[in-house]
Amino acid sequence: MILIPLAPATTASVLAQRLREAIDAGRWRPGELVRQEQIAAEYGVSRIPVREALAQLQSEGLLEIAHYRGARVSRPRAVEIDELFDLRLLVEGDLLARALGRHDQRSLRELTRLQDRLEDADDRLGWISGDIAFHEALYGPAERPRSLALFRQLRAPIDRFSVQALGPGTRKQGWADEHRQLIAAVAASDAAAAQAILEQHLQATRAVVLAACSGDGEN
Amino acid sequence: MILIPLAPATTASVLAQRLREAIDAGRWRPGELVRQEQIAAEYGVSRIPVREALAQLQSEGLLEIAHYRGARVSRPRAVEIDELFDLRLLVEGDLLARALGRHDQRSLRELTRLQDRLEDADDRLGWISGDIAFHEALYGPAERPRSLALFRQLRAPIDRFSVQALGPGTRKQGWADEHRQLIAAVAASDAAAAQAILEQHLQATRAVVLAACSGDGEN
DNA sequence: CAGTCTGTTTTTGGATACAATTATCCTATG
DNA sequence: CATAGGATAATTGTATCCAAAAACAGACTG
C-alpha cells in the first residue's frame, strides 16, 4: 500500500522552502532586494508561484514587501531580536512547564535520540533544523499546537543569525550540554531546574545572536 | 505639501480586509468552503488577488487551505481558543507591565477618548475594532512592535466569536467598567491592580467566547 | 550646479488562458 | 442494491500577457 501525500507539494510551497533555506544559509543578505523575475528564471518557473512564496515568507517575517517596490530580506534591528527572545522565554517557558509532567519513557528516548543525531550533524543548517526538532519534541507533550506554531514563528527571523553564530570554535558544546541537562531535568520532573536551564539556554543564545546581528550591518 | 501614501492599497490587500470583516461579521460560517471564482465574481476581480488575500487570511489563522482542495473558514476547537487566551494572558500581561511606567497625560487622555468613542459605537464590528484600538493604545507605550503584532494575531481567530457574544443584554457594561478600571490603574501606576484587572478582563472574555464557540457547531 | 520636469525603462500587480488535480456522477458488475 | 471503475465536470495551480506604478536618465531652468 502506497501512502499518497495528503497535500502534494505545489510549486509555490517548495519554492518557499527553498527560499527560506537560502535566507538562513545567508545566500541573501539582509536588506538585499529580491527580484521576482530573477527567482523565476533561477528556478525555471513563472512569477506567480514566486509571488506566493514571497508573500508566505513575508508573513513569516523573513521578508518585507512594499507594494510595487519589491521584497527585501528583513534586517531585524537588535532591539527586535531582543524582543523576540523575551517572547520566546514567555512562550517556551510555558510550553516546557506544561510538557513537564507529560513526558514518558518513549518521549524521553526520542529526545535523547534527536540530541544524538543533532551532535552528529556536521552542517550548520542541519544543526538548526535539528535544534528545532529537539525543542518540538521537548514541548510536544504539552499538546499546545498554537503555542508550538508560535514557537516556530518566533524562531524564524532569528535562526538566520544562529547559523552565523554556529561557526567553528563557538558555543556548540555548551549548547549540547544544556540540551542534555534539559533532558535530565525533564526525566526527573524537576520543574524549577528545567525552567532555569531553559532560561540559561535562551539567554546564552540571545547573547550570541545579538552579537551576530549587530556585527552584520548597520544596527 | 501633500502626503503620498507609502503603500497604496493593492486589490489583494483591500480584498483581505473585506474578507476579514465578512468572516468576523459571520457572513461565512466556520467550515464553509470559500470558492475563489465566487469571490472573484462577487468583487469583480480576477482570481489572482483573491488567492493572495486568501493566503494572507490563512497566515492569520482565519482560513485553512488545502492544496487543490480549496479554502474553508477555520473552525477553532474550544481547546484551541482556550490556548489562545492563555497566550494572550502571557503576552498582554507582559505588554501591560512594560507599558505601565511609560504612559503620560497625553496617552491617558487618548485612552479615555478611545473608550468614550467605544461606548458610543453602536455596531458590533465597531466595538471590536474599538476594543482593538483601545488595547493597542494601552500597550503602545511599551514600544514592543512584535509583541503588539502578536497581540493582533492572537485576537484574530477569536474576534469572530466575540462579535457573536456581544449581542443584546450581554456583558457590555462589565467590559466597559474593566476598561475604565484599567485606565485608572495605569494612571495610578498600580502594576498589581492593572495585572489583576487585565486578567479578570481576559478571563471573563474567555468564558463568553468559549460559550459562543461551543454553541456554534460541532465542538 | 542643484533641482525639477519629462520621457523611457524596469518592475510589480492584475487579467486572461491553460494545465493539473480533485470531486462528481454515471454505468457496469458482483 | 451496494460498490468499484471510469468518463466528465468543477476547481485549483501555473504560465503568459497586459496595465499600473516606480525607478532611472537626461534635458531644461533657476
Side-chain angles (χ1 to χ4, degrees), chain A residues 2-66:
Chain A
I2 297 171
L3 233 39
I4 286 112
L6 224 62
T10 182
T11 307
S13 63
V14 316
L15 244 183
Q17 184 54 34
R18 294 276 190 88
L19 300 188
R20 244 182 303 249
E21 287 169 8
I23 291 177
D24 276 351
R27 260 190 56 213
W28 289 330
R29 292 298 172 76
E32 186 172 345
L33 220 73
V34 180
R35 299 271 171 225
Q36 299 177 1
E37 190 69 48
Q38 172 192 329
I39 300 172
E42 185 170 339
Y43 291 89
V45 298
S46 89
R47 272 175 43 230
I48 298 287
V50 172
R51 284 174 50 176
E52 297 195 357
L54 293 181
Q56 174 68 26
L57 294 183
Q58 176 187 37
S59 83
E60 294 171 15
L62 271 60
L63 294 178
E64 288 165 7
I65 301 182

Side-chain angles (χ1 to χ4, degrees), chain B residues 34-49:
Chain B
V34 180
R35 298 274 173 222
Q36 299 177 0
E37 189 68 48
Q38 172 191 331
I39 300 171
E42 186 170 340
Y43 291 89
V45 298
S46 90
R47 272 174 44 227
I48 299 289

Side-chain angles (χ1 to χ4, degrees), chain B residues 94-114:
Chain B
D94 184 68
L95 275 168
L96 182 58
R98 292 178 190 275
L100 207 56
R102 296 159 152 269
H103 272 280
D104 55 20
Q105 280 204 332
R106 216 173 59 75
S107 66
L108 285 170
R109 264 205 311 277
E110 175 70 3
L111 271 181
T112 307
R113 193 184 65 80
L114 285 169

Side-chain angles (χ1 to χ4, degrees), chain B residues 92-146:
Chain B
E92 296 189 41
D94 184 68
L95 275 168
L96 182 58
R98 292 178 190 275
L100 207 56
R102 296 159 152 269
H103 272 280
D104 55 20
Q105 280 204 332
R106 216 173 59 75
S107 66
L108 285 170
R109 264 205 311 277
E110 175 70 3
L111 271 181
T112 307
R113 193 184 65 80
L114 285 169
Q115 180 59 21
D116 289 344
R117 278 226 315 229
L118 180 48
E119 294 179 24
D120 280 347
D122 50 358
D123 65 310
R124 301 185 185 188
L125 259 61
W127 293 344
I128 296 297
S129 63
D131 188 59
I132 293 177
F134 175 85
H135 281 273
E136 289 194 357
L138 180 64
Y139 306 140
E143 292 186 63
R144 291 248 147 179
R146 315 234 29 159

